[in-house]
Amino acid sequence: MVLKKRAIATYVAAILASGAGLATAADQPLSFVSWGGSTQDAQRDAWATPFSKASGIKVVMDGPTDYGKLKAMVESGNVQWDVVDVEADFALRAAAEGLLEPLDFSVIQRDTLDPRFVSERGVGSFYFSFVLGYNQGKVGAAAPQDWAALFDTTKYPGKRALYKWPSPGVLELALLADGVPAHQLYPLDLDRAFKKLDTIKPDIVWWGGGAQSQQLLASGEATLGQFWNGRVYALQQDGAPVGVSWKQNLVMADFLVVPKGTKNKDAAMKFLAAASSAKGQADFSNLTAYAPVNNDSIPQLDSTLAPNLPTAYAKDQITLDYAYWAKNGPAIATRWNEWLVK
């Protein structure tokens, strides 16, 4: 009888301990990692803050996104990030390398999402265009029209701001500026692209994150360059003397992913559901002028945003092939990094 009582007491204690452990896990803050600056501020306001209020789960903002760090966390088994905003090509590549958790589409509503921006292990954060941005005080009356202007250092003297990472965008704009038709971009002619970039290499200033790109353009340190459309929009909203050309705008997307081995998988799925919902996407788009990945968001968008959204410039648009980059990116990165240090 005593043994039986002890067994029952031990069982009850184990249940209580298990329950306490579950409560502790549920109370853990969710780490959300993104690129910083005005974009991450909008993600906080549109997604993180409302999610915390609705769920009781605290969201801790971190960043900037670092692919090497994400991979190291997963491989070491010490995953400290729960949801990470990454570029679309990395999302596909990381999934193939086993670095990401599969998404739970019983929680995330997939049927309202643009199929271009959802996969088994990633859901669109937003989609955007690389646009030609310029400092109005530096270019004078002759506003630049397309990517060829980046390579005209006589007409537009000064530094050119370009995205420093080996990912979709820079090589494509170099080829377009060199006369390659949009429908013939892929597979990329790397020799031709790097040869074109060589012509302005001494005049390039590289940016690695959105906040840095904004500083380069607004300050006039860069006369013109390649920018995320939402970052230029944010500067314009702040009254900065910057302009934009949408000709040959290059469409790309960010994805939200969950690193494999996260300790907060259930909370991460709930966060992705909220961020990709019609309201979550509309609220974010209204703050940033990035386009929503949820088709049901469209009626909820501020009508005054139309001239600042990629959706308004479809006829001048070129969609970057992030599946090509997911497959060929590592080899391109090796050549890219060698070229940078030459």
Side-chain angles (χ1 to χ4, degrees), residues 209-241:
Q212 183 187 13
S213 76
Q214 289 173 305
Q215 190 278 328
L216 289 171
L217 185 60
S219 68
E221 182 177 347
T223 299
L224 69 174
Q226 164 205 18
F227 301 94
W228 295 322
N229 73 279
R231 296 293 181 153
V232 178
Y233 171 75
L235 289 176
Q236 291 174 327
Q237 293 300 105
D238 288 340

Side-chain angles (χ1 to χ4, degrees), residues 308-329:
N308 302 290
L309 285 171
T311 50
Y313 302 95
K315 65 185 179 74
D316 292 318
Q317 230 164 61
I318 299 164
T319 300
L320 297 170
D321 189 343
Y322 58 85
Y324 168 88
W325 274 89
K327 180 179 179 180
N328 298 285

